[in-house]
Amino acid sequence: MERLLIIEDNYMMRLFLVNYLDKNFWVDAVATHEEGLQKLEKSNDYAVVLSDVPNNPENTGHFNAALGLLNSEGKDFVLLTSGDKSEDRVHAMQLGAIDAMSKPFNPLELELRIKSVVKRQTNNSKKRVA
């Protein structure tokens, strides 16, 4: 089973995501991007990071640091945006996200998107070995 890190400040959303996704992934979940950055600095074995985009400018520093670390290590991440606007999803992709979804979202669609990212990683690993 692949490891997934969830960074989500809303307790109920975080609990929902953990309960929904832990059937197919080993899930770690934290409430802040600062905690997420600490987890990422300690462990390099997350297949995917699922993160919300902070609405509060005070949280932007740790968010940017976490994304910078993920980008520098070539790690895939999926961002959840609170706005259902195309610009929000485009901005997430410009930050380096492999995928972006707006809240509210269909949980099955999110699960399938994460599985698609993992499958892509697996296929890329096989190509590098061959």
Side-chain angles (χ1 to χ4, degrees):
M1 237 192 262
E2 301 291 338
R3 286 189 70 196
L4 173 67
L5 174 62
I6 297 171
I7 306 171
E8 171 59 58
D9 62 348
N10 181 288
Y11 174 77
M12 293 304 291
M13 176 60 75
R14 190 170 61 252
L15 185 62
F16 169 77
L17 289 167
V18 168
N19 287 327
Y20 190 84
L21 295 170
D22 74 351
K23 295 165 192 70
N24 294 299
F25 302 96
W26 291 103
V27 179
D28 289 331
V30 295
T32 68
H33 289 93
E34 180 177 13
E35 292 171 297
L37 184 58
Q38 291 169 358
K39 286 254 188 207
L40 291 167
E41 289 172 341
K42 288 180 185 175
S43 176
N44 192 22
D45 61 350
Y46 291 105
V48 181
V49 175
L50 175 65
S51 174
D52 65 343
V53 176
N55 292 327
N56 186 342
E58 293 174 7
N59 299 328
T60 305
H62 288 109
F63 172 72
N64 289 336
L67 295 188
L69 180 62
L70 291 168
N71 282 322
S72 71
E73 294 183 356
K75 291 287 190 177
D76 291 329
F77 57 96
V78 176
L79 294 180
L80 297 175
T81 66
S82 58
D84 189 22
K85 297 179 188 165
S86 176
E87 302 91 58
D88 295 331
R89 292 185 303 276
V90 167
H91 180 66
M93 303 297 273
Q94 288 172 331
L95 292 171
I98 196 79
D99 203 349
M101 290 188 69
S102 300
K103 296 178 190 175
F105 53 84
N106 178 318
L108 178 57
E109 180 183 358
L110 176 63
E111 179 183 5
L112 292 172
R113 287 178 183 231
I114 293 170
K115 285 180 177 179
S116 175
V117 171
V118 170
K119 183 178 179 181
R120 186 183 65 81
Q121 289 174 343
T122 303
N123 289 341
N124 285 343
S125 305
K126 289 178 184 175
K127 287 178 185 175
R128 279 184 244 134
V129 173

